[in-house]
Amino acid sequence: MSTVEARRATRSFGSHEALAPLDLVIPSGQFVSVIGPSGCGKSTLLRLIAGLLVPDDGEILVDGRPAESARRLKRIGMVPQSPGLLPWRTVAENARLLADLNRPGTGRRTDGAADSESLLDEVGLADVADLMPHELSGGMQQRVALVRALAIDAPLLLMDEPFAALDEITRAGMRDLVGRLVERRSITTVLVTHSIAEAVALSDRVLVTSARPARIVADIDIDLPRPRPLEIEDDGQFVGLCAAVRRALRRGTGVPA
Ligand code: ADP
Ligand code: MG
């Protein structure tokens, strides 16, 4: 289980302010989506939580320690926007890449191969484990990236618009899959997305950010029951929550959403 806490965290690139002072607490096991206009600083926020960037001011803590040190302890799994698979490794080898790297000196589990095998099975890729990445569709590649992140068994999962490049139908399937996988594991999850429906369908809570520099303009509880099948999109409460997110986006950015 893992918590995320930001205390007055800021980040600029030169004179370019990407993240306004941010205060945020994500309790253990919560699924949070971040939605906001393009270029506002969402990836910057995620990279700060991942410990891949350090804040200029303030701090970002994961499990009470600086994100950078949580990352070194393999407490954080990340699914990037493009799957970034190594073209010379098979699907199975890509899936266990980080788990393999995890072995020396961390004192954590060393059964990454077995774990990634059962995960590949769970996401429906057991049959293609020996293929090379270029032989897979985009959605399949993204599922391998998801397995690669989950196989390190980290209690915090970060996803940066992981389904953005996928077609609508594949995307719906991925949403369903992610929902089921993280529900079963009760890991803490932060998803950056630009899909309102995806954010509402998956999350316990949706954070709406302003145009750059990113500020949180709305923090909306999604109190829909789980599990949430795809048909939940037709539900009146679901539609109402989507409208609330859309209104917050409009308020925060001045852009029609
Ligand atoms: P988003 O993910 O919301 O689209 P980003 O966090 O990627 O936005 O970027 C926010 C702003 O910070 C953008 O204006 C972007 O150009 C700038 N930025 C992000 N990363 C860097 C970097 N490594 N160097 C310089 N500028 C950056
Ligand atoms: Mg981004």
Side-chain angles (χ1 to χ4, degrees):
M1 301 294 259
S2 182
T3 57
V4 176
E5 193 172 349
R7 296 186 189 143
R8 307 303 291 163
T10 62
R11 176 70 203 208
S12 297
F13 298 101
S15 60
H16 211 73
E17 204 185 347
L19 188 69
L22 176 82
D23 285 299
L24 173 67
V25 175
I26 301 177
S28 188
Q30 198 168 60
F31 194 122
V32 176
S33 287
V34 178
I35 190 163
S38 180
C40 74
K42 301 180 298 296
S43 293
T44 301
L45 170 60
L46 210 66
R47 290 167 61 75
L48 285 163
I49 298 174
L52 296 168
L53 277 178
V54 287
D56 296 328
D57 258 313
E59 54 186 0
I60 302 224
L61 304 175
V62 173
D63 300 332
R65 46 170 97 79
E68 214 185 339
S69 99
R71 178 176 60 85
R72 278 197 299 269
L73 291 168
K74 306 285 183 200
R75 303 282 298 168
I76 306 172
M78 175 115 171
V79 183
Q81 187 162 350
S82 68
L85 304 179
L86 298 178
W88 59 88
R89 297 190 81 170
T90 65
V91 165
E93 288 165 351
N94 268 287
R96 64 167 185 258
L97 183 71
L98 300 177
D100 281 351
L101 294 175
N102 198 20
R103 280 171 203 216
T106 61
R108 287 171 54 75
R109 56 195 302 163
T110 55
D111 54 346
D115 212 25
S116 64
E117 247 172 63
S118 64
L119 276 163
L120 279 176
D121 191 31
E122 218 173 327
V123 304
L125 292 179
D127 290 348
V128 297
D130 296 326
L131 296 187
M132 304 308 279
H134 76 268
E135 297 177 272
L136 305 188
S137 68
M140 290 160 104
Q141 290 187 24
Q142 205 49 273
R143 273 183 276 163
V144 180
L146 181 63
V147 168
R148 184 184 55 195
L150 288 172
I152 64 168
D153 206 27
L156 175 62
L157 178 66
L158 307 176
M159 296 186 278
D160 194 354
E161 303 200 36
F163 320 135
L166 305 179
D167 65 82
E168 190 77 20
I169 294 169
T170 310
R171 196 172 172 136
M174 283 298 285
R175 182 217 290 179
D176 202 44
L177 177 70
V178 166
R180 283 185 285 116
L181 281 175
V182 304
E183 231 167 80
R184 208 170 309 148
R185 284 174 177 70
S186 69
I187 48 185
T188 310
T189 309
V190 185
L191 169 73
V192 170
T193 178
H194 55 238
S195 162
I196 296 175
E198 193 168 281
V200 172
L202 283 168
S203 309
D204 298 308
R205 178 179 173 199
V206 175
L207 304 176
V208 180
T209 61
S210 66
R212 193 181 63 81
R215 274 178 306 105
I216 296 173
V217 296
D219 186 339
I220 300 172
D221 276 332
I222 309 296
D223 48 359
L224 293 167
R226 291 182 189 271
R228 300 178 185 163
L230 288 171
E231 306 79 67
I232 201 167
E233 289 200 19
D234 304 327
D235 180 279
Q237 195 187 352
F238 182 93
V239 173
L241 285 164
C242 288
V245 173
R246 198 171 299 116
R247 275 196 302 276
L249 270 170
R250 219 179 285 140
R251 269 202 316 276
T253 60
V255 177

